[in-house]
Amino acid sequence: MKVGFIGLGNMGSGMAANLLRAGHEVTVFNRTPDKRRALIDLGAQESATVADACSGEIVITMLADDSALRRVALGDEGIVDKLRQGATHISMATVSVELTRDLTQAHAQAGQQFVAAPVFGRPEMAAAAKLFIVAAGAPGAVKTCQPLLDAMGQRTFPFGAEPAAASLVKLAGNFLIAATIETLGEALSLISKGGIEPEAFVDLLTSTLFPAPAYRTYGALIAQSRFQPAGFAAPLGHKDVRLLLAAAESLRVPMPIGSLLNDRFLRLLAQGGENLDWSAISQLAAADAGLPRIGRS
């Protein structure tokens, strides 16, 4: 398939590379040209503008936040302006339910298709084509996109014809991951202050009651205090929690743990944690307990 790919950050670069390896014709665009070079070496075509990346049947965006996606998709010379009628835009980033609805409406008015397909997985999973993908949109559009989703992920989970559903599912999932990080931080601070080795405790948890990937991945990062380089930077985690709370408010769903997580991220960022992985909020529990970091007291 002839595909445009916009957004070549930690996640997007690996995803675009897997599309190339699967034999698709990929045109790449990123505001920072340096990030295009490795993909061009793999056979991608370089695009100098967003419009140039919209010449095919599908364009994929993997952008950091609402403002970036809104600018690229809805701005002058953006995707909605330049994508041909009948072509499809797949948004694979974590963005607000409100923006997803705006994009759905704008593409429909332009005679285009829109699919929301946010992903679960860190950069190493993106590079290995092991992402879990949440897809929602018109059934025909999702079916057309499926070969591309298969090239980037290990499984696609359909959530109906309304793209906003995929965004809400992704925000709820990220909330559970962030809550897991917080509870791991609190539990590991407790056992660390009691003189127990945190890595042994994580091994117990992940070998028995909590064998889930989130506990394995973040338990190891927290126990070893490995927060750089950031696989998912703290400002992005804060962004997702804020989007979650906005969606919860619109649906009148109280989420007190979400409010706690928002405060945790605010505190981490206020103390200079912009470049740390979002799992670094776990260290705030250690600080509350009088520990310099999680580890043997």
Side-chain angles (χ1 to χ4, degrees):
M1 300 176 75
K2 187 175 181 181
V3 185
F5 201 107
I6 300 172
L8 305 174
N10 287 344
M11 298 290 290
S13 56
M15 294 161 69
N18 285 323
L19 292 175
L20 288 164
R21 295 186 185 105
H24 299 287
E25 181 183 338
V26 183
T27 300
V28 296
F29 174 80
N30 196 78
R31 286 187 305 170
T32 307
D34 288 350
K35 293 187 177 180
R36 307 175 200 168
R37 289 174 186 159
L39 291 163
I40 292 167
D41 291 342
L42 287 175
Q45 300 296 311
E46 184 175 17
S47 172
T49 66
V50 169
D52 291 341
C54 295
S55 60
E57 54 202 304
I58 292 178
V59 62
I60 298 171
T61 52
M62 189 61 175
L63 297 165
D65 53 30
D66 274 34
S67 62
L69 180 55
R70 190 176 291 277
R71 181 176 62 252
V72 165
L74 300 176
D76 292 338
E77 301 293 304
I79 293 171
V80 173
D81 279 350
K82 296 301 179 181
L83 199 62
R84 65 173 173 80
Q85 285 195 354
T88 302
H89 172 201
I90 312 173
S91 171
M92 303 193 74
T94 306
V95 295
S96 70
V97 174
E98 178 185 13
L99 176 57
T100 302
R101 290 192 176 119
D102 289 346
L103 290 171
T104 301
Q105 181 179 9
H107 281 296
Q109 290 174 345
Q112 302 154 354
Q113 302 280 351
F114 178 65
V115 172
V119 303
F120 287 107
R122 287 170 68 85
E124 58 271 21
M125 292 179 68
K130 294 296 185 182
L131 296 169
F132 294 105
I133 302 173
V134 180
V142 175
K143 183 177 180 181
T144 298
C145 299
Q146 196 61 57
L148 302 178
L149 304 182
D150 290 342
M152 294 182 284
Q154 59 179 299
R155 183 175 172 185
T156 300
F157 295 82
F159 272 86
E162 175 52 57
S167 291
L168 186 60
V169 167
K170 181 58 167 62
L171 291 172
N174 275 17
F175 160 69
L176 290 172
I177 298 170
T180 297
I181 291 169
E182 172 64 23
T183 56
L184 277 169
E186 293 181 22
L188 289 173
S189 295
L190 174 67
I191 63 102
S192 293
K193 195 163 186 181
I196 297 168
E197 175 56 51
E199 291 186 56
F201 182 69
V202 169
D203 181 51
L204 165 68
L205 290 180
T206 57
S207 299
T208 55
L209 299 176
F210 300 98
Y215 281 90
R216 290 197 299 269
T217 298
Y218 290 106
L221 291 177
I222 296 166
Q224 298 165 20
S225 297
R226 286 192 288 115
F227 307 119
Q228 288 183 304
F232 188 66
L236 296 177
H238 184 220
K239 177 262 297 183
D240 289 354
V241 170
R242 288 188 290 107
L243 296 181
L244 169 88
L245 292 173
E249 182 174 350
S250 71
L251 293 169
R252 295 186 176 179
V253 177
M255 299 191 76
I257 295 175
S259 297
L260 167 66
L261 291 168
N262 183 57
D263 288 344
R264 284 303 212 193
F265 279 110
L266 277 174
R267 180 177 164 195
L268 180 66
L269 296 174
Q271 295 176 355
E274 289 86 353
N275 295 321
L276 299 179
D277 192 83
W278 72 326
S279 55
I281 63 165
S282 60
Q283 298 302 288
L284 301 177
D288 291 344
L291 295 169
R293 62 178 177 82
I294 291 173
R296 188 178 292 278
S297 178

